Amino acid sequence: MCLTIPAKVIDVAVDTVTIEDGDGVKVVETPFVTGLAVGDWVLHINRLVIRKISPDDACEIIELLESGTPVDTSLVSPAFREDIEALHRGTFGRDNIVRLLSSEGVEQEALLREADTTRRAWIKDFICIHGIIEFSNQCTHDCLYCGLRNEHSAIERYRMTPDEIVETAREAVEEKGYKLLVLQSGEDPTYTDSMLIDIIRRIKSASKVFIFISVGERGYESYRSLKEAGASGVLFRFESSSKGLFKKVHPHGKCLESRFEHLKFFKELGYYVATGSLVGLPGQTLEDIADDILVTKRWANMVSTGPFIPTPGTPLAGSSTADGDLYLKVTAILRLAMHSARIPVVTAYETLTGEEGRSRALKSGANSLMINLTPERYRTLYSIYPDKFYDTESIFVRYGLYKYRESFTMLEERMREEISL
Ligand code: SAH
């Protein structure tokens, strides 16, 4: 579930090897791997070698995770430097963020590099890989931007059965090694609380996995019982903290007060909270985005902020696509504002930019990926926005998923720490 920076074996003993990576030299145990020789490349976590990898793949991972060339800081203005420092100190406000969001050229690059360095310093070289199962595209809401909106009659609707959801989750954990799964749907009351409780219980009793739910506004009682059933986290965006803009894109259905009420009781219930906003909605200002960053910092253990992509057949079909660089700057600022938070590269950004953009986002402060695990026959129907990015083959998926229990324990410890911060 986490891709770590590869290390080179420099000495071999009976049950241990000495390895060297960017962090230095250490001795690690080898219960899962035999026959290692000096010069081999390995991946390791918690002082255990998890697997051997080829020198070519090791180089590819190192290149993907390694920082770019540092920016010559003599080229940035004193005001820019002061804004960056204010973020690090935690003494920043809207104005600092707006100025950083407006940065261009060398300063924009310096902002992204600073976020990369911060990610390294606070959470090292772990790229965490989570999975998402989109189990229903039915939705009673009518968010103007979303392809699943109720009034969008052109799309074919589907609902996965509880058995299908449980089996997809089992396969993801037992056969692929996922340790954290998000179960997402539109606002679909057909799945009653007792159905969702049953699904969560069945997955949890079959596999060692964290379940995050992303099912919209269901009220306190519902979320209390889902937590009790074994859900650990929620993925629930407030979308936009600007009252005016929120109302404009949600003329009916979603309500900002209710979004915040939910975030409040998620915390009370002890959920790990993934939240954030949409970047690049029509009419959104840099001040709106700055406010969204401040609100995200207030609520999120894990960030879920993504760029807006216009969807054909929706009222915002003719609007402009979010600026990818602006999303990167938002990601970098979030990293500087929330040093140790989990920040995924969202699928919407991968849809805009592909693999290259993914790597760029990982070097701009992001530290995790959300891989789509929706069964193939439903995947294209979950068309929140068009041509959604999909990946099963990348080096992250190949080497980032471990079936070993240690990987679950490590995630458990980290999440406990993150939630208590
Ligand atoms: N029903 C759940 C899940 C919503 S879908 C809930 O309400 O929380 C997940 C996310 O997709 C939404 O929160 C929204 O931010 C995002 N989304 C919807 N349409 C989009 C679009 N056109 N471009 C980018 N992201 C979009």
Side-chain angles (χ1 to χ4, degrees), residues 177-195:
Y178 285 89
K179 301 284 181 284
L180 192 161
L181 295 176
V182 178
L183 303 182
Q184 188 176 80
S185 68
E187 305 268 343
D188 188 356
T190 300
Y191 295 86
T192 59
D193 288 351
S194 62
M195 280 168 79

Side-chain angles (χ1 to χ4, degrees), residues 145-146 184-185 187 237 239 254 259 278 307 309 311 384:
Y145 45 80
C146 185
Q184 188 176 80
S185 68
E187 305 268 343
R237 290 182 177 170
E239 313 291 5
K254 272 189 183 136
R259 291 311 269 182
L278 277 163
I309 302 177
T311 308
I384 291 180

